[in-house]
Amino acid sequence: MRCVGLRTGIAVLALAAVASGCAQGTTGSGAHGVTGANGTRPAPGGQSPQGQAAGAKHTYAARMRAEYAARAAAARRWGLKKVPLAPPAPPATKPVITTREGFEVEDHEELGLPPVFTTVPTKDKVVFLTIDDGAEKDPAFLRMMKDLKIPYTAFLSDYLVKEDYGYFKKMQDTGVALNNHTLHHPYLPALSYSRQKREICGMQDVIERHYGKRPELFRPPFGNYNRDTLRAAKSCGVKYAPLWSEEVFADHWDYREWDRDLHPGDIVLSHFRGDADWKGTMPDMIRRFMNMVTQKGYAVARLEDYL
């Protein structure tokens, strides 16, 4: 393109401005915005790659600030000592889950029975909250967990949840996985294979009927099982049998390990209980749980994301 010079002083100034737009292979601001090093411009209404990157970083930072502010506000509302830590993204490659040494049954590997484990192998500084049975149905607990966005996994027994299936549907609607804890919570090793199968498969049927999906996780009542338990569970579609490393109550913790401490990947057990059974409520239990976990630098992750 050939630029035509103008003779007046004003025209000379105008020519200087136009000349920057006439030059080939330079960067700068023209009538249509920023040009790239090769003289190209973004599409009308678009941004340069540099501008897009800067915008994405700004958006991400703003989102992180907003999420932290929301967690901080929720922590204050529910009386937590510190703001809960956000968990990392779920692992792209899931860890290999194997049965904990000493927890095997005869022919465990050969029969491909569900692994029994107390900790998920991970370097992420996370723990997993699991809650059993379904006796207490505290609306404040549902509000608290939804507000704080704390992930957890429920293991349900039908003789308790049938009083109010809708309570656990509300739980499921917030993303909580509902899993198998048998129909009647018996001591399974005392039962025959066929009776164990009725307890486990029967609960699979209940969960599918009321909540739309047969679970892949099963926890034996009291943590007690034998070879028939795991055989029956496998026949019912169960893939994992998680136990626990710690148990949290409204007023104290119990530990399986000698060091009485949390470890990356630990599974923590609690129960649906209230002040009729505990020295406190389910929100009290969550406060104790979250205060300990956060103080030790752990986030709470979703168990199913690691399986």
Side-chain angles (χ1 to χ4, degrees), residues 16 82 86 101 118 136 166 188 220 239 245 291-292:
K82 292 185 176 182
E101 185 176 354
T118 61
E136 182 75 3
L188 290 172
K239 293 186 177 179
S245 287
N291 287 339
M292 168 79 82

Side-chain angles (χ1 to χ4, degrees), residues 26-153:
T26 62
T27 60
S29 297
H32 301 292
V34 178
T35 59
N38 62 358
T40 60
R41 297 188 179 96
Q47 283 185 305
S48 68
Q50 295 90 338
Q52 289 173 344
K57 288 180 181 177
H58 177 76
T59 301
Y60 176 79
R63 188 173 78 248
M64 292 299 100
R65 287 194 297 271
E67 289 179 1
Y68 180 84
R71 287 202 309 277
R76 288 193 296 271
R77 281 194 294 275
W78 292 101
L80 302 187
K81 293 179 180 179
K82 292 185 176 182
V83 180
L85 299 173
T93 302
K94 309 299 183 187
V96 176
I97 306 296
T98 58
T99 295
R100 177 172 173 164
E101 185 176 354
F103 287 59
E104 308 93 340
V105 298
E106 185 182 355
D107 297 328
H108 202 132
E109 250 186 75
E110 292 80 357
L111 294 174
L113 300 179
V116 180
F117 55 103
T118 61
T119 298
V120 172
T122 179
K123 293 181 180 178
D124 293 342
K125 204 168 181 185
V126 297
V127 295
F128 307 100
L129 177 62
T130 62
I131 309 179
D132 282 8
D133 65 42
E136 182 75 3
K137 303 166 185 67
D138 184 351
F141 168 76
L142 291 184
R143 292 195 300 272
M144 182 182 196
M145 301 303 271
K146 183 177 181 180
D147 198 18
L148 290 167
K149 294 182 171 57
I150 299 171
Y152 61 102
T153 296

Side-chain angles (χ1 to χ4, degrees), residues 8-259:
T8 66
I10 295 174
V12 169
L13 292 175
L15 178 60
V18 172
S20 66
C22 298
Q24 303 266 332
T26 62
T27 60
S29 297
H32 301 292
V34 178
T35 59
N38 62 358
T40 60
R41 297 188 179 96
Q47 283 185 305
S48 68
Q50 295 90 338
Q52 289 173 344
K57 288 180 181 177
H58 177 76
T59 301
Y60 176 79
R63 188 173 78 248
M64 292 299 100
R65 287 194 297 271
E67 289 179 1
Y68 180 84
R71 287 202 309 277
R76 288 193 296 271
R77 281 194 294 275
W78 292 101
L80 302 187
K81 293 179 180 179
K82 292 185 176 182
V83 180
L85 299 173
T93 302
K94 309 299 183 187
V96 176
I97 306 296
T98 58
T99 295
R100 177 172 173 164
E101 185 176 354
F103 287 59
E104 308 93 340
V105 298
E106 185 182 355
D107 297 328
H108 202 132
E109 250 186 75
E110 292 80 357
L111 294 174
L113 300 179
V116 180
F117 55 103
T118 61
T119 298
V120 172
T122 179
K123 293 181 180 178
D124 293 342
K125 204 168 181 185
V126 297
V127 295
F128 307 100
L129 177 62
T130 62
I131 309 179
D132 282 8
D133 65 42
E136 182 75 3
K137 303 166 185 67
D138 184 351
F141 168 76
L142 291 184
R143 292 195 300 272
M144 182 182 196
M145 301 303 271
K146 183 177 181 180
D147 198 18
L148 290 167
K149 294 182 171 57
I150 299 171
Y152 61 102
T153 296
F155 290 89
L156 305 180
S157 292
D158 187 52
Y159 83 108
L160 294 171
V161 302
K162 68 182 180 182
E163 299 166 2
D164 187 356
Y165 288 121
Y167 177 85
F168 300 95
K169 182 65 172 69
K170 292 175 186 175
M171 194 177 293
Q172 184 189 41
D173 289 344
T174 66
V176 176
L178 307 180
N179 290 292
N180 191 327
H181 200 44
T182 71
L183 288 171
H184 303 100
H185 205 274
Y187 177 72
L188 290 172
L191 304 182
S192 66
Y193 172 80
S194 61
R195 289 181 64 191
Q196 291 197 52
K197 188 173 179 179
R198 280 199 297 274
E199 282 287 338
I200 300 168
C201 290
M203 192 59 197
Q204 295 286 85
D205 295 339
V206 167
I207 293 175
E208 182 178 33
R209 182 163 61 251
H210 290 279
Y211 306 112
K213 184 179 179 182
R214 296 176 77 80
E216 296 183 346
L217 276 63
F218 160 71
R219 174 173 284 160
F222 317 106
N224 295 123
Y225 60 94
N226 59 15
R227 186 171 180 264
D228 281 347
T229 308
L230 299 181
R231 287 178 54 230
K234 180 181 178 182
S235 76
C236 301
V238 168
K239 293 186 177 179
Y240 301 98
L243 297 184
W244 61 90
S245 287
E246 294 88 25
E247 183 171 2
V248 60
F249 300 82
D251 62 340
H252 71 282
W253 285 71
D254 281 343
Y255 298 86
R256 186 186 294 273
E257 308 302 334
W258 65 271
D259 62 358

